[in-house]
Amino acid sequence: MNKKRLSAQPIREGIAEISGMIKVVWRDYRWNTGRVVRDWHIDPDSAEGLEIKVRSVECKKTSGKAS
C-alpha cells in the first residue's frame, strides 16, 4: 500500500500584545491535502477582546541535509 506522507506548512498567524509582549495567538497550517488547520497557542476564549493582527508566514523549504 502506497500512502502519501502528510506534511503541513505554516501560512499565517495571529499576533497580539499580551502583558506588554507580542505573542503568537494562533497559527494556520495548510496540509498537503489542501486542508487548513488553526493551532491555538492560547485558550481561544481568552483571545476574545484582544486586538489580533494577522500576518503571512513564509516558510522556506529545506532539503533536510545539514550543511
Side-chain angles (χ1 to χ4, degrees), residues 14-53:
I15 58 172
E17 187 173 330
I18 302 171
S19 301
M21 297 180 66
I22 301 296
K23 296 192 178 194
V24 175
V25 176
W26 52 260
R27 188 171 287 137
D28 285 346
Y29 292 88
R30 178 171 288 121
W31 289 86
N32 60 342
T33 61
R35 183 175 180 207
V36 175
V37 176
R38 180 162 291 171
D39 180 32
W40 286 88
H41 295 264
I42 66 168
D43 178 21
D45 293 332
S46 68
E48 199 170 311
L50 289 177
E51 186 177 325
I52 299 173
K53 295 179 183 174

Side-chain angles (χ1 to χ4, degrees), residues 50-62:
L50 289 177
E51 186 177 325
I52 299 173
K53 295 179 183 174
V54 179
R55 66 180 179 189
S56 295
V57 176
E58 293 186 30
C59 185
K60 295 179 182 175
K61 290 187 177 184
T62 61

